[in-house]
Structures are given as structure tokens and as C-alpha cells.
Amino acid sequence: MRLWRDSSRGKRSSMASTEGSTVEKAGPAGTRSERPRGERTFVERLNNYFVYRTIRKAIRDCGAAGPILIAPCGYGWHFRLYRKDGIEFVGVDISPEALAAARKAVTPPPSVREADILHLPFTDGQFEFVVNSRFLLHFEDDFRARAFKEIARVAGRYVLVHYDRMSLRLRLRKLRGVAKPPLEEDKLQGWQKNKRRARRLVYDKKRMVAEGAAAGLTVKKLYYVSRLFSDRVYCLYEKTEK
Ligand SMILES: C[S@@+](CC[C@H](N)C(=O)[O-])C[C@H]1O[C@@H](n2cnc3c(N)ncnc32)[C@H](O)[C@@H]1O
């Protein structure tokens, strides 16, 4: 069993554009967590589980009534675990390819719909709890602000958003001078460009508070995947009382 994966192996997925956004199409090798379970390394599977456990804790702490909305849902990461834990969910994604995979992620097939995050086909406050993971942090400010508002609109009470923060791991990498591999700009599309070049992926609480407030949300609590080993933090927002 491999413990971790050589980052130079495996092709990145490709993207197509829609209104200021991007659609991800899984490439042959897929991104890290798109690969079938059997092909993931032990460390990847451990990370997947810790991420899921963090999201689940936030959902349980809120005692949220299902179904929760997973927007976007991609190919159905964690669907199996949600099912196992009896957490009802609905997923949306703009990519038909991702949704085709999501439909096969669990049996019986989950409730997933094709939709742009900027125009969600749901009524105001339809879902008590909305999860947004591995998405907003890759986009420019304008798109992010619009998407934030739309997510907040369909949320009845809570929104959980993934951010990356300056962790011990990142600090050590900086100290060691670990460099990212050189960019092949012509091969990057959509948010890969944002992620790898334009956007700074590291957020602090002040920024989370500000962008939540602009969408009518208040920061309730931060959920760290692992303070030592992960850059990832989930910010739980609650709709601001009017
Ligand atoms: C990195 S994946 C994350 C998916 C899921 N949240 C997860 O953690 O597995 C990003 C997903 O966003 C979807 N996407 C990109 N632009 C979108 C948009 N405007 N509306 C809805 N989904 C979008 C892509 O199709 C892709 O499946």
C-alpha cells in the first residue's frame, strides 16, 4: 500500500467556462479525491475521513434537519459516508460529468441536480444547512461575493464554507522553501488559473467575517480539520437576524 502519491503523477482535470465560472471535467487520472477509492493512498483516505468528520461535526452541532444541500457536490465525495451516517442530502453541480459520477457514488442514487451556483433552483431558506467545500476559495472576489449571496439565499439557517488558513504545515513549507512546480499556463483553465496564480488561498478570520457579513451571514464557529496537519478550516456561518 502506498502511503502518499507522487504529486507529479496523474493528469489534472480540464475545465470549461460558463458565466464567470468554470465547469470541471474529470480527466483520465482525475484529481486527488476523484480517483476511485481503491486507488487512493492511505494518507489521502485518512485526509478524506478527517475532512468528512469535521463537516459532520458541524452538521451535528447545529442539529440541522435534513436534507442538507451540498453545493457544489462534484462527483459525490463523501456521499457514501453521509448515507452511512443517515444524513440526508441534495447535491448540485454545474458539470454533467461530475453529476454522472455522483449518481453512481451511492445506491440507491442520490438526489442531485445540474445547476449553476449563481442561480440555484431552490426557494429562499429551503435548506437549513448548506455545505460549500473546495470551491469558493478558488474564485475572484466578484464571483465569490455573488455565489456567497446565492448560497445564503437558499440557506434556512447555516452555511459551512471551506477556507485554507496559514497552518503550521504551510509555515514549515515556507521555511523549507518548498516551491510549487513550474506553471504550464497554457494548460491551466478556469479556477486552476485562479488557484495557482492569481488567488491567495490563505484566509484569516477577519476576511471570513467580512465576506460573510456581505451575504447576511455571521461567523458562528471555526472547525479545524487538524490544527497541526491541515490548512483546511470550515467556517460555520449563521444567517444574521434581521
Ligand atoms: C473541486 S470540486 C468540489 C466539489 C465538492 N464540493 C467536493 O468537495 O468534492 C468543484 C466543483 O465545482 C463545480 N463547479 C464549477 N463551477 C460551478 C458553478 N458555477 N456552479 C456549480 N458548480 C460549479 C465543478 O463542476 C466541480 O465539480
Side-chain angles (χ1 to χ4, degrees):
M1 175 172 52
R2 272 176 302 119
L3 274 183
W4 58 80
R5 188 178 173 85
D6 174 358
S7 58
S8 62
R9 289 174 58 202
K11 286 202 187 106
R12 301 288 305 177
S13 54
S14 64
M15 306 277 202
S17 294
T18 67
E19 189 194 342
S21 168
T22 50
V23 181
E24 182 168 348
K25 295 178 184 165
T31 53
R32 203 174 18 178
S33 44
E34 279 161 352
R35 287 194 301 277
R37 281 180 72 215
E39 287 179 25
R40 289 185 214 141
T41 64
F42 175 71
V43 171
E44 285 169 358
R45 277 186 282 143
L46 202 63
N47 177 55
N48 285 355
Y49 181 69
F50 273 89
V51 170
Y52 172 71
R53 212 178 61 148
T54 309
I55 297 173
R56 182 182 64 186
K57 175 150 179 43
I59 296 169
R60 285 186 174 164
D61 283 356
C62 294
I68 59 161
L69 175 67
I70 307 174
C73 65
Y75 62 92
W77 196 31
H78 298 150
F79 277 14
R80 201 179 49 83
L81 294 167
Y82 283 120
R83 270 281 165 85
K84 195 167 141 253
D85 287 334
I87 299 172
E88 277 183 73
F89 60 88
V90 169
V92 290
D93 201 283
I94 204 168
S95 157
E97 289 85 0
L99 289 172
R103 286 189 184 100
K104 291 189 202 141
V106 284
T107 320
S111 168
V112 290
R113 285 175 76 164
E114 188 176 327
D116 186 338
I117 206 142
L118 297 178
H119 308 285
L120 291 171
F122 306 116
T123 55
D124 295 359
Q126 188 168 333
F127 298 91
E128 188 175 354
F129 197 105
V130 182
V131 177
N132 182 279
S133 187
R134 303 196 301 153
F135 185 73
L136 281 176
L137 75 175
H138 297 311
F139 288 93
E140 303 291 349
D141 291 351
D142 174 57
F143 178 88
R144 216 175 47 242
R146 286 193 293 153
F148 233 108
K149 282 196 178 131
E150 184 61 357
I151 291 168
R153 181 187 69 75
V154 300
R157 185 153 180 199
Y158 301 108
V159 177
L160 189 70
V161 179
H162 160 212
Y163 291 97
D164 282 346
R165 68 191 168 103
M166 184 50 83
S167 63
L168 181 66
R169 192 186 79 98
L170 273 190
R171 280 184 214 283
L172 290 176
R173 278 173 73 94
K174 245 183 157 177
L175 275 177
R176 281 165 45 223
V178 176
K180 286 194 169 153
L183 292 180
E184 293 178 83
E185 292 259 339
D186 53 322
K187 293 200 182 140
L188 295 179
Q189 294 177 38
W191 76 35
Q192 287 184 333
K193 269 202 176 115
N194 298 339
K195 178 176 175 178
R196 303 292 301 277
R197 191 188 53 190
R199 284 225 51 75
R200 215 173 120 68
L201 284 173
V202 178
Y203 289 75
D204 57 19
K205 188 162 174 195
K206 206 168 138 199
R207 183 163 188 162
M208 297 176 200
V209 169
E211 64 181 17
L217 300 167
T218 309
V219 173
K220 191 169 161 65
K221 186 171 171 183
L222 297 183
Y223 289 84
Y224 295 90
V225 171
S226 158
R227 283 192 188 258
L228 272 188
F229 300 113
S230 174
D231 317 326
R232 195 182 288 235
V233 59
Y234 283 88
C235 180
L236 177 67
Y237 290 100
E238 188 168 13
K239 276 192 142 173
T240 313
E241 300 279 332
K242 289 207 177 121

